[in-house]
Amino acid sequence: AADGGSSTSCGAATTLSSKVVVVVYSLGGNAADANGSGPDELDNLDNDPVFISHTRTAIIGNEFDDLVTWIGPSLLLNRMIEAGQLP
C-alpha cells in the first residue's frame, strides 16, 4: 500500500511508501465495470490516500488487476533538477 501521509491505516499490509508526491494507477481490464470486483480493487476506488498494489490475482471474488506506481519526493526533485527547473 502507498500511503499519502494520512493517519489511514493499511492494517496488516506492508506500507511501501508514506511520502508520495504522485500516484498513477490503472483499473486494469475490468475498468469498464468502474467498481472493481475484489476487495483490494474496491480499496483503490474509495477516495482515500491509501492504494493497494500487488501481483495480479484471478481468484473469483478476489480478482485484482490494477496497476499502481508512484513517485516519491526524492525522485521528483532529482528529475526537476536534471531538467533545469530547480537550482
Side-chain angles (χ1 to χ4, degrees):
D3 181 344
S6 77
S7 60
T8 306
S9 174
C10 290
T14 301
T15 299
L16 299 177
S17 182
S18 62
K19 298 193 185 309
V20 173
V21 178
V22 175
V23 174
V24 179
Y25 71 102
S26 167
L27 300 178
N30 62 0
D33 297 341
N35 60 8
S37 57
D40 290 344
E41 287 185 340
L42 293 173
D43 279 344
N44 285 342
L45 295 171
D46 63 3
N47 292 321
D48 69 16
V50 176
F51 290 86
I52 307 298
S53 177
H54 60 74
T55 57
R56 184 181 179 118
T57 306
I59 300 169
I60 295 175
N62 194 25
E63 294 90 347
F64 185 85
D65 67 350
D66 293 4
L67 300 173
V68 181
T69 191
W70 56 92
I71 298 172
S74 297
L75 180 60
L76 177 64
L77 290 173
N78 179 278
R79 296 300 189 258
M80 289 180 74
I81 290 169
E82 285 180 358
Q85 299 302 307
L86 291 175

